[in-house]
Amino acid sequence: SSMHVMIIPCRSLVSASCACFKASSSVTVIKAFSTTKICWNIMPAWVIDKYGANDVLRFTKNAAFPIINYPNEVIVKVCAAGLNPLDVSMRGGYGAATLSMKRDPLTIKQAGMEFPLILGRDVSGVIMECGLDVKYFKARDEVCAAIPPWKQGSFAEFVVLSGNEISLKPKSLSHVEAASLPYVANTAWSALVNTGGLNKDNCAKKRILILGGSGGVGTFAIQMVKAWGGHVTVTCSQNAERFVRGLGADHVVDYTAGPVDESLRALEKFDLILDNIGGDTERWALDLLKPWTGAKYVTLVTPFLQNTDLLGIADGMLQSAATMGRKALKHLAKGVHYRWGFFAPSGPALDDIREMVDAGQIRPVVEEIFNFSEVPKAFEKMEKGHARGKTVVQISNPGDEF
C-alpha cells in the first residue's frame, strides 16, 4: 500500500485528529501546524469595510477567526488592545498601497481584499494555541506584542501573531497596562537604539532632546533614556510640564510660551534629537546638535508611506530614497547625521523592555480606558490629540478564555 502526507493549515483550534481517514489501498496521514480540541470559526470584532471617518467602524460577531498559516505562529486571546495615532491614520487609508503590497506581493488578489479590516496595533492577552515550531512559548502564557500594520489587528477577541513578535507580559503589569506599551516601546527602541545608536552602556551623560514628549512614544522614550543615565530635555505644553517631569525629564521647554527654537538654542547642544512632531522642526532642529561628534537627528514623521500611496510602490520608494539621501548629505556636510525612524515590531526588544518594567525603571502611562463596546469613542478621543499617555480598550477578562 502507499502513504500520502498532506500538510493542512488548520482553521484555528481545529483538532488535527478530526481530518484523518482510511482508504482500501492507502492511508492518509494529516500533519497539522497545530493541535487542540476546540473548534471556532467566527469571533466578535470591530472592522472597517472601507476607508473613511469614524462612521466606517462596524461591530460584528461574525468576523473570521484567525488562522495559523505558519508553524511559528500563535493564536492569542485578546485581553486588552492599545490605540495609536497610526490606527486613526490607517482607518482613513494611510499607507493602503504599501500595506496591500506587503499583504499580497504578487498582486494576485483584487483591490480591496484587505476588507473587512481589523485595526489595533497593541495587544496583551493569553496564548490559546501554538504552532508546532514555537519553542519559547506555550498555551496559557500571558504575552504582549506590537502587531505589524499589514496584519489583522487587536480590536477583536483573537489575533494571530508570529512567535518573534511576542514577549511575555511584564509580571508587574495588568493586561490593560501591558497593552499600552508594545507599539510605543518598539517605535522608541527602533528610533533610539537601532537608528540612534543608544544603549544602556553608552547613554550615560548624553544630552537627548525629545520634541513632543507627552504622547505615547515621548513618555516611553523619556523613561528609557533616564533608565540608561541620559539627560533628557523635552518640549511640551505648559499643562504637561509636571506630567513629563514626573516621568524623569530633566528640562522642559514650553512650546506655547514663544518660539521654541529660540528657547532651545539658549541651551547646551544635544547628542541626539528624537522628533515626534515633524513639520518645520527640521528647519531648525539640526542646528541644536553637537557638530562633528556623531550627533544624530531621528524623525518619526517621514513621507515614506505618503509617497508610495501617491506615486505607487516603485516611484514612491525612489522619491523617498532621493529625499532621504539629499537631506542626509546636506546635514552631513555640517557634521551632523539626519535619519528617519520607523516602527519595527520585535519580540526580543520587548524582552529587554519587560526587564526594565519589572525592575521599576519604566512604568506604563495609561490616560483613558474604554470598554470593547466603546471603540468608536476611543477613536474620537485619539483624534482630538494632545495625549497624555496611551488610550487602551479592554476586550475581555483574563480567565474567560478557558
Side-chain angles (χ1 to χ4, degrees), residues 102-150:
K102 179 66 178 177
R103 297 183 188 107
D104 184 23
L106 299 179
T107 320
I108 296 173
K109 300 177 182 178
Q110 296 179 352
M113 288 299 289
E114 69 266 32
F115 301 118
L117 181 64
I118 302 173
L119 301 172
R121 298 304 106 202
D122 283 311
V123 60
S124 182
V126 181
I127 292 179
M128 297 292 290
E129 181 180 11
C130 292
L132 296 181
D133 283 354
V134 176
K135 296 180 174 59
Y136 301 107
F137 303 95
K138 61 184 184 303
R140 297 179 182 264
D141 278 350
E142 294 186 320
V143 296
C144 60
I147 305 171
W150 54 87

Side-chain angles (χ1 to χ4, degrees), residues 89-362:
S89 299
M90 286 180 62
R91 187 200 63 194
Y94 174 72
T98 308
L99 298 177
S100 292
M101 183 69 176
K102 179 66 178 177
R103 297 183 188 107
D104 184 23
L106 299 179
T107 320
I108 296 173
K109 300 177 182 178
Q110 296 179 352
M113 288 299 289
E114 69 266 32
F115 301 118
L117 181 64
I118 302 173
L119 301 172
R121 298 304 106 202
D122 283 311
V123 60
S124 182
V126 181
I127 292 179
M128 297 292 290
E129 181 180 11
C130 292
L132 296 181
D133 283 354
V134 176
K135 296 180 174 59
Y136 301 107
F137 303 95
K138 61 184 184 303
R140 297 179 182 264
D141 278 350
E142 294 186 320
V143 296
C144 60
I147 305 171
W150 54 87
K151 291 187 175 183
Q152 291 285 43
S154 55
F155 294 132
E157 280 206 346
F158 297 90
V159 66
V160 63
L161 294 162
S162 170
N164 59 12
E165 294 162 356
I166 63 176
S167 174
L168 293 174
K169 179 182 74 68
K171 294 180 180 180
S172 58
L173 301 185
S174 67
H175 281 290
V176 167
E177 292 171 325
S180 71
L181 289 178
Y183 180 83
V184 296
N186 275 159
T187 302
W189 188 277
S190 175
L192 294 175
V193 178
N194 300 345
T195 305
L198 294 183
N199 58 60
K200 62 182 179 181
D201 298 319
N202 70 7
C203 194
K205 298 183 180 179
K206 284 193 175 181
R207 290 178 53 78
I208 314 299
L209 171 61
I210 299 174
L211 299 172
S214 63
V217 175
T219 56
F220 186 89
I222 291 170
Q223 297 181 83
M224 189 169 79
V225 172
K226 288 305 298 179
W228 288 346
H231 181 283
V232 179
T233 299
V234 171
T235 66
C236 63
S237 62
Q238 183 181 15
N239 59 13
E241 178 175 353
R242 186 175 179 181
F243 169 64
V244 297
R245 284 193 184 276
L247 296 174
D250 297 290
H251 189 86
V252 180
V253 175
D254 175 14
Y255 65 75
T256 65
V260 68
D261 55 321
E262 294 182 7
S263 300
L264 290 169
R265 283 194 179 98
L267 304 176
E268 183 183 344
K269 290 187 181 293
F270 299 93
D271 297 287
L272 187 143
I273 296 174
L274 177 62
D275 186 0
N276 298 295
I277 303 299
D280 68 345
T281 55
E282 287 187 15
R283 181 174 50 82
W284 48 262
L286 284 100
D287 295 332
L288 304 174
L289 291 170
K290 298 175 182 177
W292 307 109
T293 62
K296 294 178 181 177
Y297 166 89
V298 181
T299 178
L300 291 170
V301 184
T302 76
F304 181 80
L305 289 181
Q306 290 175 334
N307 285 342
T308 53
D309 284 347
L310 184 64
L311 303 173
I313 300 297
D315 290 343
M317 292 182 69
L318 285 173
Q319 178 65 46
S320 296
T323 301
M324 174 64 197
R326 184 182 72 252
K327 292 184 177 181
L329 287 173
K330 172 187 173 182
H331 294 292
L332 189 60
K334 300 178 182 178
V336 296
H337 298 275
Y338 175 94
R339 297 287 187 271
W340 286 355
F342 296 97
F343 159 67
S346 170
L350 292 178
D351 290 341
D352 290 335
I353 290 161
R354 181 185 73 243
E355 294 178 3
M356 298 173 73
V357 171
D358 283 337
Q361 296 175 319
I362 294 176

